[in-house]
Amino acid sequence: MAHERTEFDPEALTYNEAGLLPAIAQDAETSEVLMLAWMNAESISRTLATGRVTYWSRSRQSFWVKGETSGHVQELVDLRFDCDRDCLLVLVRQTGPACHTGRRSCFYTAVREGAEVELMKPIP
């Protein structure tokens, strides 16, 4: 099956009023959802150019290369966007925990029978 190829332009995506898109990071091998962060057109371009996932930190107002200080790198496997072009799925090869709490995933808490349940502990 042939796939149509056209030149990708990050500016052609639909950004929010702050110029950002939500980006869901998913383990390319296990399909585990690891985290959600934000990207702008420049962080998308940097990610595609380097193969290292680069987000936009809303709190620091700066670029954030995942793993740059922690060593918990996200290597880009595939970058996808949804049908509305307003959300990204970043398939990654994750080294170490993805969450700043030391857990494999930021989604480590569930609601079960009305109570919060911790699904995983930090990686030692």
Side-chain angles (χ1 to χ4, degrees), residues 65-82:
V65 179
K66 182 69 175 162
E68 192 169 54
T69 57
S70 68
H72 303 150
V73 175
Q74 287 181 347
E75 179 186 343
L76 180 67
V77 174
D78 202 13
L79 185 116
R80 302 176 185 181
F81 47 87
D82 72 340

Side-chain angles (χ1 to χ4, degrees), residues 59-123:
S59 59
R60 294 187 302 263
Q61 291 292 294
S62 63
F63 293 104
W64 156 43
V65 179
K66 182 69 175 162
E68 192 169 54
T69 57
S70 68
H72 303 150
V73 175
Q74 287 181 347
E75 179 186 343
L76 180 67
V77 174
D78 202 13
L79 185 116
R80 302 176 185 181
F81 47 87
D82 72 340
C83 56
D84 293 326
R85 303 176 76 92
D86 64 358
C87 184
L88 299 172
L89 178 63
V90 185
L91 298 173
V92 302
R93 201 167 289 112
Q94 177 71 45
T95 301
C99 184
H100 75 280
T101 66
R103 291 169 175 84
R104 172 88 180 139
S105 169
C106 292
F107 297 96
Y108 62 87
T109 306
V111 178
R112 307 263 168 90
E113 298 176 2
E116 290 186 22
V117 178
E118 183 181 33
L119 301 174
M120 66 185 76
K121 299 287 184 196
I123 297 171

Side-chain angles (χ1 to χ4, degrees), residues 4 16 47-48 58 61 96 104 122:
E4 184 178 331
N16 69 12
T47 297
L48 293 170
R58 295 177 301 163
Q61 291 292 294
R104 172 88 180 139

